[in-house]
Amino acid sequence: FPLGGTHPRYLYLASNHSNKWGHPRGYRIQTLSFAGEPLPQSSSMERALSWGRYQLAVTRRKEEEPSSTSIYNQNDPWTPTVDFTDFINNETIAGKVS
């Protein structure tokens, strides 16, 4: 959900699988607040803070992706160690079980 766009008050991510107690697996997410206005994408430092473009982003972690951001991005925001937008690649998470 890009920042500034419309989104529902609650999101429920359901699964067809049950947990170890036999209850349906799922997550309810409520987005109430955000970090503030993001830097414009035209800014030379925006890549270091590109996670700020989204109010909510859900991705599936891969072993070759250790983290979606880095504390070291603050040291050199013009060439960040990790760019969050690299993780947003429109692959589906539907039907995936962790």
Side-chain angles (χ1 to χ4, degrees):
F1 291 93
L3 190 62
T6 58
H7 56 85
R9 183 173 177 180
Y10 297 103
L11 297 166
Y12 181 70
L13 305 174
S15 171
N16 293 329
H17 302 279
S18 299
N19 63 18
K20 65 182 178 180
W21 298 283
H23 298 282
R25 293 182 67 169
Y27 300 91
R28 185 177 106 170
I29 301 171
Q30 181 178 6
T31 55
L32 293 175
S33 63
F34 58 95
E37 292 299 316
L39 287 173
Q41 289 186 26
S42 59
S43 169
S44 61
M45 295 187 299
E46 196 273 339
R47 285 184 54 229
L49 305 165
S50 59
W51 49 265
R53 296 180 194 175
Y54 304 94
Q55 182 133 0
L56 175 67
V58 179
T59 63
R60 184 169 174 89
R61 183 185 175 276
K62 298 179 185 82
E63 288 300 320
E64 65 272 9
E65 299 173 335
S67 65
S68 60
T69 190
S70 171
I71 191 171
Y72 301 110
N73 283 0
Q74 67 184 344
N75 296 339
D76 188 8
W78 302 275
T79 52
T81 306
V82 180
D83 183 353
F84 181 78
T85 56
D86 292 341
F87 291 79
I88 308 296
N89 56 10
N90 295 325
E91 66 184 340
T92 183
I93 61 170
K96 304 292 183 182
V97 179
S98 294

